[in-house]
Amino acid sequence: MRFASNRSRAGQLMQGHQEWIRRGFDDGVFALVGSIEPEAGGALVAHSISLPQLQDRVDADPFVVEGVVSAEILEITPSLTDTRLAFLLAGGPARPAASP
């Protein structure tokens, strides 16, 4: 989610946006939410949801509805993860992270 032309309204819509984020975590869909630095917008990692369902969810974010951000969904099919991210694999085994 990159800031768009209506960025100045972010403060007015922040409570609704934060409630939208909280619902994503409560529903078990969001695994991570954070800022794109420097102050370029935000990003999230979602899982266990279909692309159309995620699109509907993103379209309901007050920041998207009001043009504060423009959203782009990038679908990733994991093939290898660190064991801490094994839940992202679709039935495949996790592999330990390589030692530095």
Side-chain angles (χ1 to χ4, degrees):
M1 299 179 164
R2 297 236 179 234
F3 282 123
S5 60
N6 221 4
R7 177 182 181 169
S8 63
R9 296 219 38 230
Q12 299 166 344
L13 301 166
M14 186 59 74
Q15 181 176 349
H17 175 68
Q18 289 175 339
E19 290 169 1
W20 175 83
I21 290 170
R22 204 168 312 115
R23 277 192 307 277
F25 279 104
D26 290 347
D27 294 344
V29 173
F30 295 166
L32 176 146
V33 171
S35 298
I36 299 172
E37 299 299 339
E39 298 183 26
L44 61 90
V45 173
H47 67 99
S48 301
I49 188 169
S50 72
L51 186 56
Q53 290 171 322
L54 180 58
Q55 186 67 62
D56 289 345
R57 183 176 289 263
V58 168
D59 289 346
D61 177 359
F63 276 13
V64 174
V65 171
E66 297 296 328
V68 172
V69 298
S70 61
E72 178 184 12
I73 296 175
L74 304 173
E75 190 172 11
I76 300 169
T77 302
S79 58
L80 183 66
T81 70
D82 181 281
T83 54
R84 294 168 292 178
L85 299 176
F87 68 95
L88 295 174
L89 292 174
R95 305 276 193 254
S99 298

